[in-house]
């Protein structure tokens, strides 16, 4: 590496004047669309110099009092390189608080530069970094609101690294919030990090923001972030920053997206089993990039039902033309003569909502809720591996969601609000179709009826609701499906590797909870006195759990009926063991069917008998 010249300031000015700043771009994947959302612009100094690394470059600029000059030069270099590379999607530009309020940021130069480069403001995301103390938060909020009013979107960087961005989040309501890589790296194996990010996700849903998980470096962390429902991801596993970055997802990322576990809860399941973007697809012949505005108007006039017209470059979608916006523009005097023969690119939305055909209805709804309001009217473009298929409307999406919500409410258990028999069966069938191994656990309360008869149905409902809460707490919400069959019977579909330990923990936790529901004397004795049918007082043990579990491997069963039959047999064995162990004050029983479950007709008949 070459040595730094004695005059750092002169060297820095020379680098900026000669255009030696080297922008690189790191792709950001949109999990819900299964495509690239856009790129973050990063900067490097001259190759082989002491200022090649960005930390050294900006540290030298700070020492020389040239930090703002360098930041402005970096922004312009990044915008020019992004436009020259003709990259699609959004561009995330890092801006410090000091630069944001600088007069050179507010004098209209950025708007003029975007016009010169042909970049629409809605494709730019101002990413506010917290690497310097914020001294004028109200002023920064005003400036950001100004930019948002001009079409720019806002992102807050490194959530979790400092405290100022938490206040920024609550007051500004940015469109994107980036999670600091500390909380993302190793999240697949760190429950504390997982719950921290889960809390951030809850905040994001309340604030209508999309989370971007930074620092994803392994397939395991990529899958964990995806299964949590985080909107976007960024990191070396997806792609490294390059001057000429990837324009499509790599084979490794596509493979990781395709190997998702069967999702838990509404919207989970294999493609085609539940509604997806392809379900809402309407095939519309697109226009090619470079086609004239006259052609676009002719298409709208020929089809009164056509509200938007997709624009493609080859087979890849690049824009969307809104019917009313285009016609309104050409209704003004001389507009047809001035712009009729010009490219339709002039008036199209250059950042339309693009989704993969396998995106679920819930993912679509989340994307629309986080997107600018005009997407509700324009709808979305549906693709397959980045290639145009058709368009979908928000109206059709809302109708489908309403239908699904009515169906979900019909099949939920009214006491616990957990999924009932129909959703349980549907989830089991999804697991079987996906050929995923899982464990089916049938959970039942022993001696519940005497308790219910003695203390009343309200106390009985308390016991059932307590058990529902404990089951949910003992399961991994990313992997395990919890259902309520009815009464005191529950069903869990485990994908967690440590499912057996979770079952034993549940048995012990329920035993402790039952002791807390009664008085100290009953808890000490392990039961209570109850009157039998002959009017005699007898001792009754406290309710305990019996759990029957059976492992189902790929190809072993054909339907949920066979799985339920096998789990029911296991539960009966657990209850039998519980009776034998009752005198030993056992907290409950877990029976695991270790034998392989055969599902040929003869074997199935044996199970049912």
């Amino acid at each position: 590496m070459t040595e730094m010249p004695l005059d750092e300031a002169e060297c820095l000015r020379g680098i900026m004047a000669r255009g030696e700043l080297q922008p690189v771009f790191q792709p950001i994947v949109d999990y819900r669309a299964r495509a690239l959302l856009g790129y973050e612009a990063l900067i490097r100094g001259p190759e082989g110099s002491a200022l090649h690394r960005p930390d050294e470059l900006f540290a030298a600029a700070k020492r020389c009092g040239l930090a703002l000059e360098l930041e402005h030069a970096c922004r312009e270099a990044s915008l020019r390189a992004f436009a020259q590379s003709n990259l699609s999607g959004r561009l995330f530009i890092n801006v410090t608080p000091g630069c944001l309020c600088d007069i050179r940021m507010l004098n209209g130069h950025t708007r003029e530069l975007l016009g010169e480069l042909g970049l629409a403001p809605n494709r730019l995301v101002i990413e506010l970094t917290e690497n310097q103390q914020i001294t004028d938060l109200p002023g920064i909020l005003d400036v950001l609101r100004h930019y948002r009013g001009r079409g720019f979107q806002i992102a807050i960087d490194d959530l979790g690294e400092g405290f100022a961005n938490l206040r920024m989040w609550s007051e500004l309501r940015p469109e994107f919030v980036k999670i600091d890589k500390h909380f993302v790296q190793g999240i697949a194996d760190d429950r504390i990090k997982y719950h921290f990010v889960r809390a951030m996700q809850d905040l994001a849903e309340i604030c209508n923001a999309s989370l971007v998980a930074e620092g994803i470096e392994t397939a395991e962390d990529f899958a964990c972030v995806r299964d949590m429902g985080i909107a976007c991801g960024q990191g070396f596993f997806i792609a490294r920053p390059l001057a000429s970055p990837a324009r499509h997802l790599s084979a490794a990322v596509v493979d990781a997206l395709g190997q998702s576990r069967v999702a838990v809860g509404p919207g989970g399941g294999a493609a085609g089993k539940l509604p997806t973007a392809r379900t809402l697809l309407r095939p519309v012949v697109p226009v090619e990039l470079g086609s004239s505005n006259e052609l676009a108007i002719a298409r709208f006039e020929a089809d009164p039902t056509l509200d938007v017209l997709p624009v493609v470059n080859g087979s890849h979608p690049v824009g969307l033309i809104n019917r009313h916006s285009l016609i309104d523009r050409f209704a003004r005097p001389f507009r047809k003569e001035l712009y009729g023969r010009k490219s339709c690119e002039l008036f199209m939305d250059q950042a339309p909502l693009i989704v993969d055909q396998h995106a679920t209805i819930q993912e679509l709804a989340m994307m629309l809720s986080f997107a600018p309001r005009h997407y509700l009217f324009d709808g979305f473009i549906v693709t397959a591996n980045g290639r145009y298929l058709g368009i979908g409307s928000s109206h059709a999406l809302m109708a489908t969601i309403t239908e699904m919500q009515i169906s979900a409410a019909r099949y939920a258990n009214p006491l616990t609000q957990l999924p009932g028999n129909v959703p349980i069966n549907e989830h089991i069938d999804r697991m079987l179709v996906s050929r995923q191994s899982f464990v089916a656990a049938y959970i039942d309360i022993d001696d519940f009826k005497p308790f219910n008869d003695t203390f009343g149905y309200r106390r009985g409902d308390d016991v059932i609701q307590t058990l529902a809460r404990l089951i949910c707490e003992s399961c991994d919400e990313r992997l395990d499906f919890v259902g309520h069959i009815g009464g005191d019977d529950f069903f869990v579909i485990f994908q967690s590797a440590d499912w057996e330990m979770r079952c034993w923990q549940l048995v012990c936790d329920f035993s402790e909870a039952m002791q807390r529901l009664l008085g100290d004397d009953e808890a000490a004795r392990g039961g209570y006195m109850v009157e039998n049918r002959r009017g005699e007082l007898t001792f009754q043990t406290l309710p305990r759990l019996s759990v029957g579990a059976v492992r189902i491997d790929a190809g072993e069963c054909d339907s949920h009926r066979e799985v339920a039959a096998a789990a029911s047999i296991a539960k009966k064995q657990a209850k039998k063991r519980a009776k034998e162990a009752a005198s030993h004050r056992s907290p409950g029983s877990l029976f695991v069917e270790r034998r392989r479950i055969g599902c040929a007709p003869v074997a199935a008949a044996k199970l049912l008998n």
Side-chain angles (χ1 to χ4, degrees):
M1 181 174 291
T2 59
E3 296 183 0
M4 271 289 297
L6 296 178
D7 190 349
E8 277 190 331
E10 182 180 348
C11 178
L12 281 167
R13 290 192 179 96
I15 289 173
M16 290 185 280
R18 293 188 297 271
E20 294 178 344
L21 294 171
Q22 301 175 4
V24 292
F25 302 95
Q26 186 169 33
I28 300 172
V29 67
D30 188 327
Y31 282 109
R32 303 160 303 185
R34 304 188 187 192
L36 291 180
L37 171 76
Y39 303 83
E40 179 181 358
L42 304 168
I43 208 74
R44 303 288 184 265
E47 187 74 34
S49 75
L51 297 182
H52 177 67
R53 289 166 47 109
D55 52 348
E56 298 290 347
L57 181 67
F58 283 94
K62 186 176 181 181
R63 288 192 298 268
C64 299
L66 295 173
L68 288 179
E69 286 80 356
L70 176 62
E71 191 169 342
H72 286 298
C74 291
R75 184 178 72 255
E76 180 166 343
S78 298
L79 288 171
R80 291 189 180 279
F82 183 76
Q84 289 168 4
S85 299
N86 198 26
L87 296 173
S88 61
R90 292 174 173 82
L91 176 63
F92 286 68
I93 293 283
N94 289 287
V95 180
T96 61
C99 183
L100 188 70
C101 298
D102 186 71
I103 187 63
R104 283 165 289 186
M105 207 45 190
L106 301 171
N107 62 5
H109 174 70
T110 301
R111 185 171 67 252
E112 293 174 0
L113 180 60
L114 291 179
E116 174 192 337
L117 299 174
L119 292 176
N122 65 356
R123 295 185 62 193
L124 260 65
V125 182
I126 296 175
E127 186 173 325
L128 192 65
T129 60
E130 194 186 357
N131 59 7
Q132 59 182 235
Q133 186 176 2
I134 297 176
T135 58
D136 183 17
L137 183 57
I140 288 175
L141 292 175
D142 286 341
V143 172
L144 289 176
R145 291 190 188 101
H146 163 79
Y147 275 101
R148 176 178 279 150
R150 294 185 176 276
F152 294 83
Q153 292 184 305
I154 310 299
I156 294 177
D157 193 21
D158 294 337
L159 179 66
E161 186 182 64
F163 298 100
N165 52 15
L166 288 174
R167 183 179 173 187
M168 287 287 295
W169 189 359
S170 67
E171 295 193 24
L172 183 63
R173 309 293 172 87
E175 285 78 15
F176 298 93
V177 177
K178 288 195 164 185
I179 307 171
D180 183 69
K181 63 182 180 181
H182 166 79
F183 295 97
V184 176
Q185 293 175 347
I187 190 173
D189 301 311
D190 192 322
R191 296 295 296 165
I192 299 299
K193 288 183 178 181
Y194 173 83
H195 284 294
F196 265 112
V197 174
R198 173 65 73 195
M200 296 176 191
Q201 187 181 22
D202 291 340
L203 285 173
E205 291 180 0
I206 294 171
C207 298
N208 206 33
S210 293
L211 289 184
V212 181
E214 293 188 293
I216 299 175
E217 297 187 357
T218 67
E220 292 76 17
D221 288 344
F222 180 89
C224 180
V225 170
R226 174 203 60 211
D227 292 342
M228 289 177 71
I230 302 299
C232 306
Q234 180 180 354
F236 287 172
F237 176 77
I238 298 164
R240 291 178 176 269
L242 295 171
S244 299
R247 297 172 183 270
H248 304 289
L249 299 177
S250 68
V253 174
V254 170
D255 184 60
L257 285 170
Q259 290 183 353
S260 61
R261 303 179 182 94
V262 175
V264 176
K273 201 66 179 172
L274 289 178
T276 62
R278 191 177 184 92
T279 310
L280 306 175
L281 182 144
R282 176 189 175 190
V284 172
V285 177
V287 297
E288 274 289 337
L289 185 67
S291 298
S292 68
N293 288 310
E294 288 178 339
L295 175 62
I297 290 177
R299 287 286 305 277
F300 285 126
E301 290 176 344
D303 186 356
T305 66
L306 189 63
D307 293 319
V308 290
L309 188 60
V311 182
V312 297
N313 184 6
S315 60
H316 300 287
V318 294
L320 205 59
I321 303 173
N322 180 282
R323 175 194 194 93
H324 302 292
S325 175
L326 183 66
I327 292 178
D328 284 349
R329 290 176 184 272
F330 277 77
R332 303 171 190 175
F334 307 113
R335 286 301 178 97
K336 188 172 183 179
E337 291 78 6
L338 288 172
Y339 300 111
R341 296 183 180 180
K342 291 190 176 180
S343 171
C344 62
E345 183 180 2
L346 187 65
F347 298 130
M348 76 178 186
D349 179 0
Q350 298 183 27
L353 182 58
I354 301 175
V355 302
D356 184 81
Q357 61 176 334
H358 298 307
T360 66
I361 294 298
Q362 283 74 15
E363 290 170 336
L364 270 172
M366 290 294 287
M367 282 187 274
L368 279 171
S369 66
F370 292 153
R373 185 175 299 177
H374 72 272
Y375 287 146
L376 290 173
F377 306 101
D378 290 351
F380 47 91
I381 295 175
V382 183
T383 62
N385 297 321
R387 296 179 178 275
Y388 173 79
L389 287 182
I391 60 174
S393 73
S394 300
H395 181 270
L397 174 63
M398 294 304 110
T400 303
I401 289 174
T402 302
E403 182 180 344
M404 292 174 63
Q405 288 175 333
I406 293 173
S407 176
R410 184 182 299 129
Y411 297 128
N413 186 282
L415 179 61
T416 61
Q417 296 303 306
L418 290 172
N421 290 357
V422 173
I424 293 171
N425 294 338
E426 289 176 346
H427 187 74
I428 293 174
D429 286 338
R430 288 198 296 268
M431 296 293 298
L432 296 176
V433 169
S434 69
R435 301 187 67 80
Q436 295 278 346
S437 297
F438 62 95
V439 171
Y442 196 139
I443 301 169
D444 183 35
I445 304 179
D446 297 329
D447 297 323
F448 176 71
K449 188 177 186 304
F451 182 93
N452 200 52
D453 292 343
T454 302
F455 296 101
Y457 73 90
R458 290 188 181 276
R459 294 288 297 278
D461 286 351
D462 289 341
V463 172
I464 292 175
Q465 289 175 323
T466 297
L467 176 56
R469 175 179 58 81
L470 292 174
I471 294 175
C472 292
E473 290 176 354
S474 67
C475 293
D476 186 335
E477 61 186 3
R478 300 171 299 168
L479 306 175
D480 308 325
F481 182 97
V482 179
H484 187 177
I485 298 172
D488 59 327
D489 291 352
F490 291 80
F491 209 89
V492 180
I493 308 300
F494 283 107
Q495 294 185 82
S496 295
D498 57 346
W499 61 270
E500 192 166 351
M501 183 195 72
R502 293 175 185 271
C503 288
W504 274 120
Q505 187 65 52
L506 172 63
V507 168
C508 295
D509 289 346
F510 181 77
S511 178
E512 294 176 2
M514 286 306 306
Q515 293 183 41
R516 291 194 296 269
L517 285 175
L518 297 178
D520 293 338
D521 293 340
E522 289 87 353
R525 294 197 303 269
Y528 53 95
M529 302 305 294
V530 61
E531 191 175 285
N532 63 19
R533 293 180 179 179
R534 296 188 296 273
E536 302 168 344
L537 285 177
T538 60
F539 181 76
Q540 176 64 54
T541 57
L542 292 175
R544 303 173 308 282
L545 286 189
S546 286
V547 181
V550 58
R551 181 176 181 84
I552 308 296
D553 289 321
E556 283 193 331
C557 292
D558 295 324
S559 76
H560 62 266
R561 295 180 181 85
E562 295 168 351
V563 175
S568 181
I569 296 296
K571 183 202 71 170
K572 290 177 181 178
Q573 292 296 322
K575 292 180 77 70
K576 181 179 178 181
R577 288 190 176 185
K579 287 184 178 179
E580 296 171 353
S583 59
H584 302 295
R585 299 285 295 275
S586 170
S589 173
L590 169 63
F591 175 81
V592 181
E593 178 56 78
R594 304 288 183 184
R595 295 171 297 177
R596 180 177 175 82
I597 303 298
C599 292
V602 175
K606 290 179 180 178
L607 276 176
L608 295 173
N609 290 330

